[in-house]
Amino acid sequence: MLGALSPCGICLHAQHARPTPCRRPLRTASLSCQASQDRSAGSRDSRCSKSNTGIESQQSTQAVRLTRRQTLQALAASAVAIALPDSAVSAAEDVQFKTLSYPTLAFEFDYPVTTASGRKLPVIVSRKPERYSSAAPMTADARQRIVTELVDFPDGITISVSVGPPPPWLEERKPDEWKPRDVANAVLIDRATARVTTGQRKSLEQVEQVQRKEGEDGHTYFTYDHISQGSPSTFTPTERETYRRGSSVTTWRAGKDGRPYLYTLNLACPEERWAELGGLYHKAADSFRLTPPTKAYVSPDSSPWLFF
């Protein structure tokens, strides 16, 4: 019978040898912890990023709202400015004017070609500018002569410049002593054809708003409105009495012999058109000026009877 076996050295070494602890689970745990920390940090970064993005988005939205608010405020201010009375002045400034300049008699003025509402005025030249000596007389005594004229037939508008010496009763006074109403009556009487039983000419026009202005060019300008009875027109075909309203400005310049000559710009229209054109006529009258004579200038008293 076999005896008990004694363990060999190898078995004893195996029994007394300690197993080497495995480090892999610890490393795995460390990696898991690190990953958890990374995920926590990433989550915090993500939340911070999202928070920052939200703040930036909110600030952007506020900026857009501010910009819109400023835009609306600007539009509201513009609307208020348009509603102010100055808008009427702005509308009047938008009216288109043309300038007529005539070096031969050395004068110029602006005349409207559109209304304040933008409606065009078909103004055409019916009498081209010409010298005083060749201009047709307005009356039999040939003092006042129309040297140029523009008309608008559909609207009944006439724009003319007349030149001539003053009547004797005004010429006997010095120009510095002329009164505005006397100058206005002198011009209107010389343009009239009506006469009373004594043979004297009589004006059929009523003078309104007479003013005297000293121009920057050194000349004196007399401005006045007037109203007269006219013939039946297409505007009021059933009315027996019709009226025309006008705005005029008169100034004077001495001829070669020192005699004063009156220069008058007259703008007239039917009374029904005055509300639309009156303000434009006043602006045109204010633009009338005697310009400095050039080589092209011909004095009115140079051959004054050469109109036949």
Side-chain angles (χ1 to χ4, degrees):
M1 187 173 183
L2 297 175
L5 297 176
S6 60
C8 64
I10 296 175
C11 294
L12 291 174
H13 179 74
Q15 291 177 358
H16 292 283
R18 295 180 178 178
T20 303
C22 180
R23 300 296 182 184
R24 188 177 302 277
L26 294 176
R27 185 179 300 174
T28 302
S30 177
L31 290 177
S32 299
C33 181
Q34 183 67 28
S36 176
Q37 293 177 358
D38 291 344
R39 284 196 299 271
S40 299
S43 178
R44 287 195 301 271
D45 293 343
S46 177
R47 287 196 298 270
C48 292
S49 177
K50 290 181 180 179
S51 178
N52 293 336
T53 304
I55 294 174
E56 292 176 357
S57 177
Q58 184 177 4
Q59 291 177 350
S60 177
T61 303
Q62 291 177 352
V64 171
R65 289 178 179 176
L66 182 60
T67 303
R68 290 177 179 176
R69 186 181 299 110
Q70 292 174 346
T71 303
L72 292 175
Q73 290 176 351
L75 292 175
S78 301
V80 172
I82 293 175
L84 293 177
D86 292 341
S87 62
V89 178
S90 301
E93 291 178 353
D94 293 337
V95 176
Q96 294 183 2
F97 284 79
K98 286 187 177 181
T99 302
L100 190 151
S101 181
Y102 188 42
T104 302
L105 287 173
F107 67 81
E108 68 177 12
F109 65 92
D110 299 335
Y111 62 94
V113 293
T114 64
T115 64
S117 62
R119 185 175 65 87
K120 292 184 178 181
L121 299 173
V123 179
I124 61 173
V125 178
S126 61
R127 294 187 185 183
K128 294 182 179 180
E130 54 187 335
R131 298 193 305 174
Y132 175 77
S133 59
S134 59
M138 299 181 65
T139 55
D141 58 22
R143 274 201 300 260
Q144 290 289 327
R145 306 182 190 179
I146 297 179
V147 295
T148 186
E149 186 177 40
L150 302 92
V151 297
D152 171 6
F153 290 109
D155 293 290
I157 294 174
T158 57
I159 304 172
S160 63
V161 176
S162 60
V163 179
W169 62 269
L170 184 64
E171 190 175 2
E172 63 185 13
R173 310 177 197 171
K174 296 181 180 180
D176 294 340
E177 300 175 355
W178 289 353
K179 296 181 180 180
R181 188 167 293 274
D182 291 340
V183 173
N185 286 328
V187 173
L188 297 176
I189 289 174
D190 264 3
R191 293 173 54 180
T193 57
R195 295 178 183 271
V196 295
T197 55
T198 58
Q200 296 178 346
R201 195 176 304 162
K202 179 182 179 181
S203 174
L204 298 179
E205 302 194 45
Q206 180 180 353
V207 180
E208 301 175 344
Q209 299 183 6
V210 184
Q211 294 182 358
R212 175 174 179 162
K213 300 179 181 179
E214 299 297 331
E216 297 179 356
D217 54 3
H219 293 282
T220 302
Y221 294 87
F222 304 91
T223 61
Y224 47 96
D225 290 350
H226 48 90
I227 182 171
S228 62
Q229 186 173 358
S231 58
S233 65
T234 57
F235 301 105
T236 55
T238 59
E239 297 290 336
R240 293 184 178 181
E241 295 183 355
T242 59
Y243 295 91
R244 291 182 62 83
R245 296 182 65 97
S247 181
S248 298
V249 54
T250 299
T251 187
W252 68 276
R253 170 185 276 158
K256 290 182 178 180
D257 57 357
R259 185 184 186 186
Y261 279 80
L262 301 179
Y263 289 67
T264 301
L265 169 65
N266 180 62
L267 305 98
C269 66
E271 188 175 25
E272 294 77 17
R273 291 285 187 266
W274 183 253
E276 182 181 24
L277 301 174
L280 305 181
Y281 281 4
H282 291 157
K283 189 172 182 178
D286 290 338
S287 71
F288 184 66
R289 289 290 179 270
L290 295 183
T291 57
T294 61
K295 293 182 179 180
Y297 174 71
V298 178
S299 177
D301 55 353
S302 298
S303 303
W305 295 100
L306 297 180
F307 58 87
F308 294 105

